[in-house]
Amino acid sequence: MASFFVARREDPQRPKRLNPQIIGGSDSRPGDWPWQVSVQKDKTHICGGSILDSWWVLTAAHCVRKLRALPSVRIAVDSRMVPDALACTGLTVPTQWGREHKVAEVRVHPDFNLSTFEADAALLQVKPRIKFSQSQDPVLLPPDEEMDTSSWAPCFVIGWGVTRNEKRPAILQEVEVELIDWQHCQKWAPGITENMVCAGFEEGGRDACQGDSGGPLMCQGPNSESWIQIGIVSWGSGCGESRSPGVYTLLSKYVDWIKNSTSEAGKPYTPRRENTNKPSREESDPNSTPELMAIFRREMNQSVAESFTISGSCRIRAFLSMITVTWRILIYMIDE
Ligand code: ARG
């Protein structure tokens, strides 16, 4: 819990120590990134994604291109995501999975190229539609291709991808990164095209990694407190290494595709007219007592509510598997 209350902004000038969290990052605070989703196959996290509107989630093409069965999408509720496997171990970890949505349709960008990672973008149409709330809310897209976003700051990348010690974090990780000038980046990541953007630091240390793909790279534009998604986590050589920044699908190049493709599917992309999501770290002082109390209360309620749900569902599961085993033994004995 203590991690919620420490200031997490780091000074970009300071030499980076390699934290055990997702390549130099830290736990996000509940509700800070309400558009983040986990794209899952067989209830296992495979990639990140972001909520565009109530029908559409954006992710990377390489995450979903060869899935035979459609994936499902879980919204990150209060940034926690502990695998189901843990839920029946009797551990009293406060387990919170977000609401699960099925995927009705996968639309991979037609130009996606597996060898160059060009056009690494895909749209997932969810069902049922996502209902917005404090913990589920869409991200904003860049206005158009002409908009120069190269100097935007601060920028963050988030995800449940592997951390430095190769563990999967249960709490959504966030890390502040800087957009890197394209020409500069070409020297470090020669494979980039004009439809990609790099972010990170020359010295490395802070980056996305495996499992973060499909998730958003977001920046605050000038005169705006809203987070605008600039990129989709796509590729990189290693993770967090020096002169080897993360490479992202440059979203401004794909806004038209998003509009056309969603219209074609009969559910045109409908942006939220006004983004009321000011980052809560700016909005409120986490050290103020009411705020601390609110978070604390929320945490407590969740732990209590969740341990009931978990133990309930575990009992049912245990009961069902007992019946199955008894049935099998009976059949076996009859056969004998
Ligand atoms: N391709 C990876 C994935 O599927 C993401 C790699 C991002 N790498 C990086 N160094 N930023 O999750």
Side-chain angles (χ1 to χ4, degrees):
M1 276 252 307
S3 58
F4 287 123
F5 311 134
V6 294
R8 280 183 305 277
R9 281 283 169 76
E10 287 176 62
D11 177 7
Q13 308 305 328
R14 219 177 54 195
K16 290 296 147 249
R17 112 193 116 83
L18 297 182
N19 291 341
Q21 287 93 354
I22 181 188
I23 326 299
S26 53
D27 290 353
S28 64
R29 292 191 314 196
D32 262 4
W33 312 109
W35 39 83
Q36 174 74 6
V37 306
S38 159
V39 177
Q40 309 193 335
K41 193 180 170 258
D42 304 329
K43 297 198 186 298
T44 305
H45 171 87
I46 51 171
C47 275
S50 55
I51 301 175
L52 293 184
D53 67 10
S54 51
W55 291 109
W56 295 101
V57 158
L58 182 68
T59 188
H62 79 262
C63 293
V64 289
R65 84 192 160 93
K66 60 171 189 209
L67 288 181
R68 264 174 284 123
L70 292 179
S72 67
V73 164
R74 274 181 202 262
I75 317 294
V77 168
D78 283 350
S79 61
R80 283 173 196 285
M81 198 194 62
V82 178
D84 264 0
L86 270 183
C88 280
T89 57
L91 295 176
T92 49
V93 254
T95 307
Q96 173 76 50
W97 278 93
R99 184 183 294 276
E100 184 171 3
H101 293 257
K102 293 203 169 70
V103 170
E105 194 187 351
V106 178
R107 299 180 80 88
V108 172
H109 196 288
D111 298 341
F112 173 62
N113 181 325
L114 189 57
S115 47
T116 59
F117 268 42
E118 179 75 344
D120 193 8
L123 287 160
L124 308 177
Q125 192 196 125
V126 296
K127 66 173 182 195
R129 66 201 280 268
I130 298 166
K131 295 206 175 79
F132 301 142
S133 67
Q134 243 191 330
S135 55
Q136 297 173 200
D137 214 40
V139 69
L140 290 177
L141 291 183
D144 58 52
E145 206 184 311
E146 305 314 317
M147 176 74 91
D148 178 20
T149 55
S150 56
S151 61
W152 285 17
C155 302
F156 276 82
V157 59
I158 53 179
W160 289 282
V162 291
T163 58
R164 183 55 85 182
N165 58 9
E166 307 210 332
K167 288 224 174 87
R168 295 272 183 181
I171 293 180
L172 183 64
Q173 300 293 299
E174 62 178 35
V175 64
E176 187 170 351
V177 285
E178 280 175 4
L179 299 183
I180 296 173
D181 170 65
W182 193 89
Q183 308 287 347
H184 227 94
C185 187
Q186 218 195 9
K187 287 187 233 137
W188 297 333
I192 62 166
T193 70
E194 67 206 5
N195 301 320
M196 300 172 188
V197 59
C198 304
F201 296 92
E202 176 167 7
E203 71 273 25
R206 289 187 276 173
D207 194 4
C209 201
Q210 259 53 44
D212 292 320
S213 279
L217 165 70
M218 306 145 295
C219 304
Q220 282 178 320
N223 319 317
S224 162
E225 289 209 313
S226 299
W227 291 99
I228 297 180
Q229 185 172 350
I230 297 292
I232 305 171
V233 180
S234 179
W235 60 278
S237 147
C239 299
E241 271 149 47
S242 65
R243 301 190 172 209
S244 180
V247 183
Y248 299 79
T249 310
L250 180 56
L251 209 50
S252 55
K253 303 278 187 165
Y254 296 98
V255 175
D256 280 348
W257 166 71
I258 291 173
K259 290 181 185 156
N260 297 338
S261 183
T262 53
S263 298
E264 213 177 274
K267 300 230 159 33
Y269 165 60
T270 323
R272 238 349 223 260
R273 241 163 287 132
E274 171 194 36
N275 190 332
T276 50
N277 271 305
K278 298 203 180 73
S280 54
R281 62 168 69 73
E282 240 85 86
E283 214 173 37
S284 54
D285 174 8
N287 295 319
S288 73
T289 318
E291 179 85 356
L292 283 184
M293 287 309 290
I295 295 177
F296 182 67
R297 243 180 276 125
R298 191 138 69 132
E299 291 281 298
M300 284 301 287
N301 289 342
Q302 249 171 34
S303 320
V304 174
E306 284 149 14
S307 42
F308 278 124
T309 340
I310 290 161
S311 56
S313 79
C314 286
R315 250 179 259 135
I316 294 170
R317 261 191 253 176
F319 181 67
L320 288 179
S321 34
M322 225 171 65
I323 294 185
T324 321
V325 171
T326 319
W327 183 247
R328 292 229 174 104
I329 293 175
L330 271 176
I331 301 258
Y332 179 76
M333 281 159 59
I334 293 167
D335 272 0
E336 289 283 287

